């Protein structure tokens, strides 16, 4: 149906000019722009080197690569580079797209990709139209009109969540900017307000619980609000209310270095995108104590700790969900220390499954198994079929810091065990004390524990507590095997210690970043033990042992939320 509507749109009367043009707000990368000019096309974890070639001549390695091409997000990078070769590539590749796909053909004719593409074309119209003749300009405006009409007819087929917000924001941009397209504005504004009411909860969160996806939605809402205001239109009440709900939640999910916590398929976010979006929103409130989108934040000094403190998403929202209950990340100043492995989606199906499993997160794992299972034999990507349903959480103040207490029942069905975790951050941010407890309380749980222990035919049920380290951390196990020393590039030294009741080891791990060509090798600290009785406890600590004077460069680059005087 999308293709039929796209081809029909190609027969409509074209626009011939801009009535107004929103201020460009997309953020590109100078370095990525230079790479594109050199013929290095890196999208969705793939690198295709094709100097002097058109991107439309490339055989895409997968659908995600093709979507990245047809969404035109790379136009931001070429505009950020801004020199003559970058401008030439932008022009050539854009008009080649019109020639090949402008009649409604190709994989780019989906509502979300069309919305994404319209935003970039309108943002960078001056960049690409400069020096073009009348025929080329007419083709550009005609294609913009065709895509706008297609989007006006087909935005409802965009899946709920980020795709729907991309489609509607693109439609608003085009309706405000293009001659003859103003009739699309009011329906798009109403639909966007409805999406804000139905898809963003009262805490400013999304059903997917993906922090990076929330940032992308927030960015689109701020862009749409600014474009409407600049054109003399008022964004709907639900639209503004959603922005006001989301901003405090994003502050909860923001680490001390300005990046997002990496949970449920999300990455750290594009460099500068989070702080820029928060500043542009003008919303200065913070979330009250408690959870935001199911995450808890402990922040003190220059240290931030963010914990996944809710059940994983369910149903359709779970196709990118991770089995990460009670996992945490810790960042000290500009330097991530404890992380989760991240989403392996750009490295193929197997890495994607690895990244979603509990052992790829900084939390406790029983018998090497995930606390939530993937549904096999169904559609790809697989939703989570089972997992924690009860995740009680309590936030309080400890005698010398901040305390988080939580638990989950993800191992109850198989082992009869509940995982409890306590984290305490000192007020100066120089120490984190942790305690993990696995316990069978009710008689039914004890019977299940006894049965599981007997079936394993070993002395107790094995467990491991994983602490994945960022690749930039230089870690070494001390000679006695009782502590791990970790050096950060800032000069800080952190020390990890166990309680002596568990075995401490330093093992290999991976760090999965979607903009990399392959996983990065890193290390992880692992505490191992066996659950012999109905209650087993493991204590551990992280402490900052030394401060080497931080260089001027680090101090200047240490990001501060621009809407606060922290």
């Amino acid at each position: 149906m999308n293709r039929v509507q796209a081809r029909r749109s190609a027969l409509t009367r074209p626009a011939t000019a801009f009535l107004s043009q929103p201020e460009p707000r997309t953020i590109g990368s100078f370095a990525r722009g230079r790479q594109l000019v050199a013929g290095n096309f890196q999208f969705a974890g793939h690198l295709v080197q094709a100097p002097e070639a058109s991107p439309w001549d490339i055989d895409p390695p997968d659908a995600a690569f093709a979507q990245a091409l047809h969404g035109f997000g790379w136009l931001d990078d070429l505009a950020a580079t801004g020199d003559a070769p970058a401008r030439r590539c932008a022009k050539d590749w854009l008009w080649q797209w019109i020639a090949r796909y402008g009649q409604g053909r190709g994989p780019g004719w989906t509502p979300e990709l069309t919305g994404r593409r319209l935003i970039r074309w309108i943002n960078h119209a001056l960049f690409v139209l400069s020096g073009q003749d009348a025929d080329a300009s007419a083709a550009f405006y005609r294609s913009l009109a065709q895509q706008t009409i297609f989007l006006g007819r087909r935005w409802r087929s965009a899946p709920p969540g980020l795709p729907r917000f991309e489609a509607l924001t693109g439609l608003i941009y085009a309706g405000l900017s293009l001659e003859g397209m103003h009739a699309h504005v009011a329906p798009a504004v109403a639909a966007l307000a409805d999406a804000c009411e139905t898809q963003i909860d009262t805490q400013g969160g999304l059903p997917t619980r993906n922090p990076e996806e929330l940032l992308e939605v927030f960015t689109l809402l701020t862009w749409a609000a600014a474009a409407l205001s600049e054109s003399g239109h008022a964004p709907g009440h639900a639209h503004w209310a959603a922005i006001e709900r989301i901003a405090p939640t994003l502050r909860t999910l923001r680490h001390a270095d300005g990046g997002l916590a990496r949970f449920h398929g999300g990455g750290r976010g594009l460099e500068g995108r989070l702080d820029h979006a928060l500043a542009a929103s003008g919303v200065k409130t913070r979330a009250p104590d408690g959870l935001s989108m199911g995450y808890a934040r402990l922040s003190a000094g220059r240290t931030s700790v963010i914990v996944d403190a809710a059940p994983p998403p369910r149903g359709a929202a779970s196709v990118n969900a991770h089995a990460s209950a009670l996992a945490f990340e810790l960042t000290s100043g500009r330097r991530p220390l404890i992380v989760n492995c991240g989403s392996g989606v750009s490295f193929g199906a197997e890495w994607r499954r690895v990244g979603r499993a509990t052992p790829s997160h900084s939390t406790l794992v029983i018998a090497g198994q995930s606390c939530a299972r993937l549904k096999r034999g169904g559609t790809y990507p697989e939703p989570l079929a089972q997992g924690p349903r009860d995740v009680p959480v309590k936030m309080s103040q400890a005698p010398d810091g901040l305390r988080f207490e939580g638990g989950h029942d993800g191992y109850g069905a198989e082992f009869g065990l509940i995982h409890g975790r306590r984290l305490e951050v000192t007020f100066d941010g120089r120490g984190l004390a942790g305690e993990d407890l696995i316990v069978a309380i009710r008689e039914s749980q004890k019977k299940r524990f006894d049965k599981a222990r007997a079936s394993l035919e070993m002395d107790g049920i094995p467990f491991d507590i994983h602490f994945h380290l960022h690749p930039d951390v230089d870690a070494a196990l001390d000679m006695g095997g009782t502590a791990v020393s970790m050096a950060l590039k800032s000069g800080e030294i952190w020390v990890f210690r166990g309680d002596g009741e568990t075995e401490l080891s330093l093992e290999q791990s991976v760090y999965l970043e979607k903009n990399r060509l392959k996983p990065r090798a890193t290390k992880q600290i692992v505490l191992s033990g066996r659950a012999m009785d109905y209650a087993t406890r493991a204590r551990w600590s992280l402490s900052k042992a030394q401060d080497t004077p931080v260089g001027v460069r680090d101090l200047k680059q240490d990001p501060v939320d621009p809407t606060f005087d922290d």
Side-chain angles (χ1 to χ4, degrees), residues 207-451:
T208 60
R209 298 191 56 230
N210 181 325
E212 187 177 23
E213 184 176 322
L214 182 66
L215 170 59
E216 294 301 317
V217 168
F218 180 73
T219 300
L220 290 166
L221 291 178
T222 58
W223 288 350
L228 287 165
S229 298
E230 290 168 0
S231 299
H233 297 74
H237 172 74
H239 185 163
W240 273 120
I243 291 174
E244 292 175 343
R245 293 199 305 274
I246 295 174
T249 297
L250 286 173
R251 288 195 170 92
T252 297
L253 302 174
R254 177 186 184 272
H255 271 300
D257 65 344
L260 287 167
R262 305 193 320 149
F263 286 99
H264 294 294
R268 291 174 50 79
L270 290 175
E271 187 74 24
R273 171 74 62 88
L274 175 54
D275 287 342
H276 187 271
L278 289 171
S281 74
V283 180
K284 298 187 176 184
T285 55
R286 289 191 183 276
D289 292 340
L291 301 186
S292 291
M293 204 167 74
Y295 298 96
R297 175 188 175 91
L298 302 172
S299 180
R302 287 166 53 84
T303 300
S304 60
V305 176
I306 298 176
V307 190
D308 185 357
R314 298 286 178 184
S318 75
V319 294
N320 291 310
H322 287 205
S324 56
L326 301 188
F328 77 96
E329 292 189 324
L330 183 150
T331 295
S332 178
R334 276 187 55 79
R335 307 297 173 182
L337 177 58
I338 305 297
V339 297
N340 296 306
C341 291
S343 172
V345 65
S346 61
F347 306 114
E350 191 58 37
W351 274 114
R352 188 178 186 277
R353 284 190 287 270
V354 168
R356 298 177 73 184
T358 306
S360 295
H361 300 81
S362 293
T363 189
L364 178 140
V365 177
I366 296 179
Q369 298 189 19
S370 285
C371 67
R373 305 295 179 84
L374 299 181
K375 184 178 181 180
R376 298 304 183 108
T379 59
Y380 177 85
E382 307 95 328
L384 287 181
Q386 300 176 2
R389 294 185 176 275
D390 186 21
V391 185
V393 169
K394 179 180 178 182
M395 303 282 290
S396 61
Q397 187 166 306
D400 61 344
L402 305 172
R403 177 184 293 147
F404 165 86
E405 295 173 285
H408 77 79
D409 60 352
Y411 291 110
E414 186 160 357
F415 299 102
L417 292 170
I418 302 299
H419 173 208
R421 167 164 273 187
R422 174 185 292 181
L423 303 173
E424 293 185 3
V425 178
T426 57
F427 284 130
D428 60 8
R430 298 177 62 88
L432 172 67
E435 179 180 80
D436 285 287
L437 177 70
I438 44 179
V439 58
I441 301 173
R442 298 190 297 270
E443 284 301 315
S444 60
Q445 293 172 336
K446 293 177 180 179
K447 290 179 180 179
R448 195 170 292 118
F449 171 82
D450 291 336
K451 182 179 179 180

Side-chain angles (χ1 to χ4, degrees), residues 11-200:
L11 303 176
T12 59
R13 181 175 178 271
T16 58
F18 282 118
L19 294 176
S20 65
Q21 187 177 4
E23 184 72 20
R25 292 178 174 83
T26 50
I27 300 175
S29 165
F30 175 85
R32 288 197 298 267
R34 292 291 297 272
Q35 288 295 314
L36 285 167
V37 173
N40 297 318
F41 300 95
Q42 183 175 335
F43 302 113
H46 301 280
L47 173 63
V48 177
Q49 295 178 302
E52 306 299 328
S54 165
W56 316 118
D57 291 331
I58 294 172
D59 185 15
D62 58 20
F65 188 100
Q67 290 166 3
L69 276 180
H70 286 266
F72 273 74
W74 46 264
L75 196 56
D76 296 338
D77 302 325
L78 292 176
T81 303
D83 58 15
R87 187 189 299 267
R88 184 169 58 253
C89 288
K91 291 180 178 182
D92 289 348
W93 299 344
L94 189 151
W95 269 270
Q96 288 167 10
W97 187 93
I98 293 174
R100 296 192 187 199
Y101 306 109
Q103 299 304 310
R105 297 183 296 270
W109 286 92
T110 65
E112 56 269 31
L113 288 180
T114 303
R116 191 185 310 172
R117 188 168 55 245
L118 280 172
I119 292 171
R120 268 63 186 189
W121 285 24
I122 293 169
N123 271 350
H124 304 301
L126 293 178
F127 180 66
V128 297
L129 284 173
S130 176
Q132 296 292 82
D133 60 28
D135 289 342
S137 296
F140 178 77
Y141 287 117
R142 182 167 56 250
S143 184
L144 282 174
Q146 292 164 356
Q147 293 177 66
T148 303
I149 293 168
F150 164 77
L151 200 51
R153 294 169 175 167
R154 296 299 301 162
W155 66 262
R156 293 173 184 81
S157 65
L162 179 57
R164 181 74 57 86
F165 286 102
E166 280 191 308
L168 290 171
T169 301
L171 187 56
I172 289 172
Y173 259 55
L176 292 172
S177 302
L178 292 169
E179 180 187 56
M181 297 295 142
H182 193 267
H184 294 287
V185 174
V189 169
L192 188 62
D194 181 68
C196 289
E197 286 187 330
T198 59
Q199 298 175 39
I200 299 169

Side-chain angles (χ1 to χ4, degrees), residues 470-523:
H470 189 272
D472 291 339
V473 176
D474 186 10
L477 191 65
D478 73 2
M479 295 297 291
T482 60
V484 175
S485 176
M486 294 161 286
L488 279 60
K489 286 191 173 181
S490 62
E492 294 179 359
I493 304 295
W494 285 73
V495 177
F496 179 95
R497 292 183 175 87
D499 57 5
E501 301 297 321
T502 51
E503 180 182 350
L504 174 63
S505 61
L506 188 61
E507 302 178 4
Q508 298 299 311
S509 182
V510 293
Y511 189 71
L512 304 170
E513 294 178 279
K514 63 182 180 181
N515 291 325
R516 294 268 179 167
L517 297 180
K518 58 183 179 180
R520 298 176 67 185
T522 186
K523 294 182 178 180

